[in-house]
Structures are given as structure tokens and as C-alpha cells.
Amino acid sequence: MPCQSARALLVLCLAAALPLAARAQDSEDFAGPYLAAREAAVANDFAAAARYSVQVLAADPGNLFLQEAALIAQVAVGDITAAAALAETMATGPNGSQMASLVRLAGAARSGDFAQVQALVAAGTNTGPLLDGLLLAWARLGGGQTQEALAGFNALAADESYAAFGLYHKALALASVGDFEGADAILSGAEAGPLRATRRSVIAHAQVLSQLDRGADALEMLTALFGPDPDPAIAALRDRLEAGEALPFSLIGSARDGLAEVFFTVAGALNSETPDSYALAYARFAEFVRPEHVDAVLLVASILERMKQYDLATGVYAGIARGNEAFHAAELGRAGALFEAGRREAALEVLTALARDFPDTPGIWSVLGDMQRRTQNYAEAALSYDRAIAIYGEPAPDQWFLYYARGMANERAGAWAASEADFRTALRLNPDQPQVLNYLGYSFVDRNENLDEALGMIERAVAAVPNDGAIVDSLGWVLYRLGRYQEAVGHMEKAASLMPVDALVNDHLGDVFWAVGRLREAEFQWRRALSFGTETEGEAARIRRKLEVGLDVVLAEEGMPPLKALAANGN
């Protein structure tokens, strides 16, 4: 693709097209849709961008810039049918529109027109040798040219830059025509060395092994790579293998499926490595060519979610029906998109229903607990974590976060004894985890107990992540509570530099300044803390009281030891 992202390209296209289109229709009717399309493009609002850019294009249908802008927006929203009609009017080939070439290739692939795919590649697509080579090889396979297809995969495999892609797709092609021995040789690494394992490559290999009557090997591989608690889709495969069932090779059922896999493979390679718009376009093409390709659908939704297009993402997730092997993953994604869109009750309803549907899946209870904790339903969150922990049984090292999360929920719910026990379990499972060390240590400081143990924990946390502002703040605060005020100053100043607009950190810094006699600086920090907004009104009222009468009086009113007494003990 060109250097700029699709979003940037859309903005540039519209900006460049304005003088030309304005001559075609110099009116407010044109200016409105133009400005709306431009703003929508800047905001990644693909639905609006598609709608308005088409309106602008109507004012000047031959404008190449407007054509490209409309095409990009249509692909982004998944309206490939509309994009196909527009692409037919646009120039392709080596010097033409790359997006139009991709749309035409996707259309030919979806219809199973393998001859047309070959013709388009031969005419020049401006899409690069990897995509062209993979599409051409699968199209040849679909056209009955098996030897030519394998030669194409081998040519890519011989190129260091594309070897992994060529080998993976060759393995899929061999399996799709029943050569499971050849596919196993590649997927096992026996032919050309190990390939990077992906979810789909592992599933493909498990199906290949099962077809070779090696179900036990397939089962062992799934357990080794996905662990004892896989997602429901992998668990279903494992259950079938344990029952002695032979898994059909269903990952790729035809050459058309192989063409869809090409677009999905490229989307996966681009995902997180390039601007999101790149991966989104290829994922949309994979979804279009093979609508039942659930991994492509999930990828589309996750990219949209990352681009903060939550309504579009929610709609894509919702398209995966109940009963589909990926339904649980789609519902988890839909709940996350709803939550980020501000529809928190709806998100909780989705997760609650999902937990009822999959009551023995601990990951779902854990995600539900996380969302309940984020919505401050701490007691409910603790109960959800209880369910997850009960399903897991004996604690394992990789479960440390679950105990940490339940500890946070219990602490916020006022169940301190249970909270402390969870934090200590988390540390037993992961002894040097800085977030757990800090949370438990700071909790001790906040409760004004076990201060020496808290200091040791927080010092270990700071050593692990010395530039984490919250943890550095904890170190300054425990030193303050120990009466070691001069030592606390430097750490609190560093914490404030790392988190300059955090109300709590600035409040703490004010207290430390007051303790060492820097009274005006203390009052300045307290006013800053108020300006940033405290978490509760009680915290704000306490700061205002300190500004009125000073920290010493506030401590006396709270029944706390005076600062001088602490200093005498701590220094």
C-alpha cells in the first residue's frame, strides 16, 4: 500500500479534489458533504466517510481522488459490493489504483473465478510479489493446475523474505488435496525447519495429524500449546480427539478458501506492524471472500475496536451466531466494545449471559470480574473471581493475576483479611511481581501497619520498575509514614515529575513538604491536587481542611501521631 494510511489518504484525496469538484458543483450542497467526509475521515468514522464521500463523488464522478476516497471508505465499512461497482470504473494495473485492484481480486476470488484472478495478477496489480504470488498459486490450484500451483508456492518458499508464507500456504494446499503426509512434513518443520506457530497453523496441523491416524499426537500438541484450560473452540477439538473421532481437514475446503486465507495471512502480518487501516482492508477482503472465516471476522472487529469504531465493531462481533465455535470469543469482544463505547450495563449483560452459557470456562468469569471491578461492583467482582478460581482448582503460577485481581476487589469491598490472603497467594505464585508488591505494600501503609514489611516490598517493586510513578509515590509515602521525611522528599518529587497531574501524588508531595517545613510549597501542591480533581469528595474536603489549618491540626483531629513524634522515631 502507499506510505500513508487509508485515513490519511482519504483526507488528502478529499483535500486535493476540492478545487476540481468545486468547479463541478460550486454550492453549499457540495461543501457540506465534503466537509463532513473530511471530518469523518479524520475521526476514522468510516460509515460517515463512506456516505459523504459518495455524495461528493456524485458532484464530479470522474475525479480520481474522490473515487479513491470513496473506495477506501467502502472497503473499511465492509461494503465490498458497492466498492466493486466503483472499482470497475477505475484504472488498475501497475500504475492504477491499488485498492481498486484489491477489490477486483477479492470479487473474482469470492465468485471462484480462478481464471479472472490469474488474469488480474498477470495484468499487474500494484500489490506486491507476496500477495500476487500466493493468489496466483491458489488460483492455479483452483483451475486444476496443481503442478504450476506448487511451483508458485515453492518459488515463494525459496525467497527468504517470503519463505514462511510460501511454506504455510503450500502445506494448506497439500492438505486441501489430500496430501496429508506432505502437509505434515511442512507443519512439523521436518521439510524446511519449524514454522512460527499460529492458532490457525496449529489447528491445521491437528487436523492433518488426525487424518494420518495420529490423534494422540494431535491431542498432545494442542495440550502443549494451549495449556490445560484452552478456549471453548480448542477444548471442543480436544474433546473430539479424546473421544477417538477423526477430525476432517476443514481449515481450507477449497481453492476459494485458500484465496481468502491469503488476504487473512497478509492482514495478520500487517496487524500491529502498520497503520490499522492497512490490516483492516485485507481482513475485510478475507471476510468478503469467505464469510464463514470467523478468524477474519474477529480480526476485523478487533481492528475496528482498536480504532475506536465501537459501533462498527459491535455489529461485526454480533454477526457471529450462537452455536458458532467462535461465539464466546465474539461475545467477549462485543462486551469489550460496548464497555469502551460507554454502554457499561449492556456490556455486563453480555458477559453475564455468556457466563451462564459457559459456566465451566474460568476465563469468562475472570473477564466478568474485571469488568465488574472497573464498574466498582467490587463484591460482585470478587464472587466472579471466586468462580474462576474454583474451576481452576489448585493455584498455578500463571494464575497470579486472578488472585491479585480478587485481592483488589476484596480490598475495595472492605474485606481486608481476604484481600491480604489473595495478595500473598499472588506473591507466592509470582514472588517478584512489582504491581502486587506495590499494592500490598501501599495497602499496609494506608492502614498504617506492617510498615517495615511494606517498605521492603515497595523497595523491591521500585527496583523492578524505577520509573513507575505510582510505585515511586508508594516509596515516598511509606518513608513519610515511618517519619523519614527528608528521605521521602526526593522520591515524592520524582513521583510528581512522573505523574504531574495526579491528584493523590501531588497531595502526598504537599504533605511531605509540610513535614520538612516547606510550608508554602506544601500549600501549592495541595492546591494543584484540588485542581486535578480528587477521586472522592472526602479527599477534597481533607485537602481544603489542610489549606485552612495546616497538616498538623488535621492529623490531631484524626487522632494520628504528630509529625515531630514520627520524625523522632524515624530519623
Side-chain angles (χ1 to χ4, degrees), residues 272-479:
S272 300
E273 298 294 330
T274 62
D276 289 329
S277 300
Y278 287 19
L280 176 61
Y282 283 97
R284 282 294 197 188
F285 292 132
E287 174 193 33
F288 175 69
V289 174
R290 188 183 182 187
E292 68 275 17
H293 194 317
V294 293
D295 286 338
V297 176
L298 291 174
L299 180 57
V300 166
S302 67
I303 296 171
L304 289 169
E305 190 176 355
R306 195 164 63 227
M307 299 178 83
K308 299 183 179 181
Q309 295 304 300
Y310 300 119
D311 289 341
L312 280 175
T314 300
V316 174
Y317 282 127
I320 296 181
R322 184 181 300 274
N324 189 290
E325 63 179 15
F327 176 72
H328 82 286
E331 288 295 271
L332 288 173
R334 186 162 73 96
L338 287 168
F339 187 89
E340 295 301 330
R343 299 170 61 187
R344 296 189 167 190
E345 289 302 318
L348 285 168
E349 289 175 7
V350 170
L351 284 182
T352 301
L354 191 63
R356 286 197 302 267
D357 289 343
F358 296 90
D360 297 324
T361 303
I364 294 173
W365 288 106
S366 178
V367 173
L368 175 58
D370 290 343
M371 190 171 290
Q372 289 167 331
R373 182 163 51 86
R374 291 178 67 186
T375 54
Q376 301 182 2
N377 296 313
Y378 299 116
E380 294 179 14
L383 291 175
S384 294
Y385 293 133
D386 287 347
R387 292 291 300 270
I389 287 170
I391 296 168
Y392 278 123
E394 189 66 24
D398 61 355
Q399 294 164 22
W400 71 267
F401 185 83
L402 188 54
Y403 287 90
Y404 172 50
R406 189 173 69 172
M408 289 188 284
N410 278 322
E411 186 266 334
R412 291 301 184 96
W416 169 245
S419 174
E420 181 182 353
D422 280 335
F423 290 139
R424 292 195 182 278
T425 300
L427 286 176
R428 178 166 58 82
L429 299 174
N430 192 348
D432 297 315
Q433 216 297 318
Q435 298 302 325
V436 184
L437 287 167
N438 178 62
Y439 203 112
L440 180 55
Y442 184 84
S443 296
F444 282 145
V445 176
D446 205 40
R447 296 172 61 83
N448 206 27
E449 63 186 40
N450 298 340
L451 295 184
D452 290 332
E453 183 183 11
L455 176 61
M457 289 180 172
I458 295 168
E459 286 177 334
R460 286 165 59 196
V462 170
V465 281
N467 291 317
D468 185 306
I471 295 178
V472 175
D473 169 77
S474 296
L475 180 56
W477 196 236
V478 68
L479 291 168

Side-chain angles (χ1 to χ4, degrees), residues 60-141:
D60 188 5
N63 190 296
L64 300 179
F65 293 106
L66 290 174
Q67 289 176 345
E68 190 79 7
L71 193 67
I72 290 168
Q74 288 168 339
V75 169
V77 297
D79 192 354
I80 311 298
T81 300
L86 178 57
E88 289 299 321
T89 71
M90 300 171 63
T92 54
N95 299 313
S97 165
Q98 184 192 64
M99 186 61 71
S101 293
L102 289 168
V103 170
R104 287 181 173 179
L105 284 166
R110 179 184 171 97
S111 64
D113 190 343
F114 304 116
Q116 178 65 5
V117 172
Q118 294 188 56
L120 289 170
V121 172
T125 64
N126 195 26
T127 59
L130 175 62
L131 188 79
D132 283 355
L134 290 175
L135 290 176
L136 185 58
W138 277 108
R140 285 171 172 167
L141 189 69

